[in-house]
Amino acid sequence: KIEYDRKDYRALYIFDESRHAIEILPEQVPYCGLMENVYVGRIEKMSDYPKACFVRIDEEKSVYLPLDDSAKIHYVDKKSNGSKPHQGDLILVKVKKDEVRSKDAVGDSEISISSYHLECYLEQGSSSDCLHVGVSRKLSPEERKRLTDLFASGFSSTTTYAYRLVIRSNADGIDGEVLLREAEDLFVKMDKLMESAHIAIAPQLLWKAPSPIEARALHFRRGEVGRVVTDDPALWKVLNESNCFIVKKDKKTSTRDDETVLEYYTDPYPLSMLYSLMSELENALKKTVWLSSGASLVIEATEAMYVIDVNSSHRKSGSAERYGTNGKNGDPALQANLELVPEIARQIRLRNLT
């Protein structure tokens, strides 16, 4: 946890094998973002150019909902005649872009909730006689066939509503029983969401999505992270209940290379001091990055782009030997670049430069 400008924050740090930070994701506590939340809202205003509407999602906030020809509106209570949306209709809406300053959040008529390996979409209709399953194209043909056959033969849907299931790329190699249980859990949650929608007094929140930190931690790729350590009770509860991690019970807890250990930190010595988290944050905000060899990077933002300048004037001559180049006869510029390329890549990821 971090205090800045009299506000409380928590932050997710990801370290590489050398214990250098490669990602820092902060968020305010309590988290008030709307991203991925699902609401039953009331259309309060229509717009013809561009074709869109404004949907009231609580007493103070509205979302801007584009209405292109492909938009499939899920009505909870249609107050008007015809198939097109009108002012006063009650509909389901999912927030896909948070509000920025005076601009309203942006909504989406496609309703879905996700889990670790799967995402479940609400389809038009009220029958689940046929389950539509899609598999990520990033997977190999053999893995796509395995997953398709798994849900074709090993899953019988008993849901009230029609859903479409998308299998993410991180489901590669995951045991079939794990995926089937995960899908069943998603369908139960979607059924509850729909049942709540039909008895809710609009506008009302139906599904509270995980915060950015929770979502990032829940969607680590297999083998991406070996250990997750947290001192935040709320985050611990979310991650522990996800069944995506091996909970550390003692020092003998062992895992495979593709498994992640979850540890709840309770030592009186602050976790932020143990891993020098504030120093990592301060370094990520500095313009100049120094390396142990004496070379440095200068990272500056201009109006059109980010500029990274390589400065090797203070570089130690002996550091060239690590890269297989002779310090006397090798090209100094090449030697400096070979040394700094990994650090440039880390800084681009760490600072989220785009």
Side-chain angles (χ1 to χ4, degrees), residues 238-254:
V238 170
L239 300 184
N240 188 36
E241 292 177 352
S242 71
N243 296 320
C244 300
F245 303 91
I246 305 298
V247 179
K248 182 176 180 179
K249 298 180 180 178
D250 51 49
K251 294 182 178 180
K252 296 181 179 180
T253 302
S254 59

Side-chain angles (χ1 to χ4, degrees), residues 125-132 156-163 187 191:
S126 58
S127 173
S128 61
D129 295 337
C130 181
L131 174 65
H132 302 281
S156 58
S157 175
T158 57
T159 61
T160 307
Y161 302 90
Y163 301 129
F187 292 151
D191 278 349

Side-chain angles (χ1 to χ4, degrees), residues 131-239:
L131 174 65
H132 302 281
V133 178
V135 184
S136 171
R137 295 188 179 276
K138 294 181 180 179
L139 298 175
S140 66
E142 295 78 12
E143 185 65 7
R144 285 170 55 83
K145 184 179 185 305
R146 179 186 78 90
L147 295 172
T148 302
D149 293 345
L150 171 69
F151 282 90
S153 60
F155 189 80
S156 58
S157 175
T158 57
T159 61
T160 307
Y161 302 90
Y163 301 129
R164 172 167 52 93
L165 194 68
V166 174
I167 305 175
R168 299 172 181 270
S169 58
N170 64 354
D172 187 13
I174 299 298
D175 183 72
E177 290 299 320
V178 173
L179 296 176
L180 293 175
R181 288 196 301 268
E182 199 170 305
E184 187 63 42
D185 181 60
L186 270 184
F187 292 151
V188 169
K189 290 178 179 177
M190 283 292 283
D191 278 349
K192 289 182 179 179
L193 184 153
M194 293 302 297
E195 290 168 3
S196 299
H198 290 289
I199 61 174
I201 300 175
Q204 186 170 315
L205 173 66
L206 299 177
W207 168 260
K208 178 66 174 176
S211 73
I213 283 182
E214 294 167 353
R216 181 69 180 96
L218 288 170
H219 291 88
F220 284 138
R221 300 185 301 276
R222 293 185 68 193
E224 179 183 4
V225 174
R227 186 166 65 116
V228 174
V229 183
T230 180
D231 61 353
D232 184 75
L235 181 60
W236 160 260
K237 184 175 184 296
V238 170
L239 300 184

Side-chain angles (χ1 to χ4, degrees), residues 287-289 295-299 308-310 340 343-344 347:
K287 182 175 73 172
T288 303
V289 180
S296 64
L297 299 172
V298 179
I299 305 173
I308 301 178
D309 180 42
V310 175
L340 291 169
E343 184 62 25
I344 291 174
Q347 291 295 326

